[in-house]
Amino acid sequence: MGQQVPLLDCHRRDSVESIIGSVREFQVTDNGVEGLLRFASVSKAQWNMVREGHVTDVSVGVSILEEIYIPEGEAEYIDGREWEGPLNLATEWMCLEVSLCPIGADDEARYGAGTRGLCGQRIK
């Protein structure tokens, strides 16, 4: 971990103007993967929306490098967790981008409460 990926507005990849910052300092924790959101100076409006608590959700764009299929009625134990089918489970993936979203698909993918610096938010 430790690479930097773009922080985008709602997975928009059509323009450099869609980049509102970057995500750095990735860490694997007991809660999953965390990173530090850094907002570009031109993205003050988006930073204020996060800082004021109006935007709380993030979403991750990934490239799946390896996955397994668990058929219906079967289960697999992976890293101490049980997964029940039917399910395609990504066992190896690479983060391509993180996006601010008005409503994220995963309730666990949100920015954390701790502010770091003038324009950083820890996400998990």
Side-chain angles (χ1 to χ4, degrees), residues 40-58:
S41 59
V42 297
S43 303
K44 289 180 181 166
Q46 291 89 341
W47 163 241
N48 284 332
M49 295 285 281
V50 168
R51 187 175 52 81
E52 294 170 357
H54 304 295
V55 176
T56 60
D57 293 15
V58 293

Side-chain angles (χ1 to χ4, degrees), residues 12 18 29 37 41 44 47 54 64-65 68 70-71 74 78 81 88 91 100 105 110 116:
R12 289 188 43 225
S18 301
T29 69
L37 275 71
S41 59
K44 289 180 181 166
W47 163 241
H54 304 295
I64 297 174
L65 305 174
I68 60 171
I70 303 170
E74 294 186 22
I78 299 173
R81 184 172 172 187
N88 285 316
T91 56
L100 284 185
R110 299 183 185 274
R116 295 188 39 188

Side-chain angles (χ1 to χ4, degrees), residues 7 22-23 35-39 58 100 111 119-123:
L7 176 62
S22 61
V23 182
L36 181 69
L37 275 71
R38 300 285 299 172
F39 288 80
V58 293
L100 284 185
Y111 77 88
C119 60
Q121 281 284 349
R122 176 70 51 194
I123 61 164

Side-chain angles (χ1 to χ4, degrees), residues 69-76 83-87:
Y69 176 72
I70 303 170
E72 185 171 358
E74 294 186 22
E76 294 267 348
W83 301 90
E84 295 183 11
L87 177 69

Side-chain angles (χ1 to χ4, degrees), residues 79-96:
D79 292 333
R81 184 172 172 187
E82 182 180 26
W83 301 90
E84 295 183 11
L87 177 69
N88 285 316
L89 179 66
T91 56
E92 188 175 339
W93 53 273
M94 179 175 59
C95 181
L96 300 175

